[in-house]
Amino acid sequence: VADPLQSGRFFLSAEDGPTAGAGGVWRSDDAGATWRRLLTADAGRLVAHLDRPGVLAVGTRTDVQLSLDGGATWRALGTGLP
């Protein structure tokens, strides 16, 4: 997912699959040249807020996680979502 508010920043969500240790949420600040892991839980759909910098949400195998600071910290929104 391209960050709509910061040029050259991208987010990637992934499940481990056959490559153990690759799952989670990753961020690149240099157009994909390097990546840093932000969340280690296997991740599915990831969205970035279109108007608020740093607001991200991602679905994991057990819940939905929300970050208000570009992925530096995450909090669970709960397991009761479908």
Side-chain angles (χ1 to χ4, degrees):
V1 172
D3 187 323
L5 302 173
Q6 185 165 335
S7 179
R9 177 176 282 175
F10 295 91
F11 297 96
L12 171 77
S13 62
E15 292 186 359
D16 270 345
T19 308
V25 175
W26 298 78
R27 184 177 84 194
S28 174
D29 292 322
D30 54 12
T34 60
W35 293 87
R36 182 172 61 114
R37 186 187 258 176
L38 305 173
L39 182 69
T40 58
D42 281 353
R45 175 91 30 124
L46 173 85
V47 294
H49 199 287
L50 296 176
D51 298 318
R52 291 188 54 203
V55 176
L56 306 167
V58 66
T60 71
R61 290 181 186 260
T62 58
D63 61 8
V64 174
Q65 296 279 325
L66 177 69
S67 176
L68 302 176
D69 55 13
T73 60
W74 296 87
R75 68 178 170 107
L77 294 182
T79 58
L81 299 171

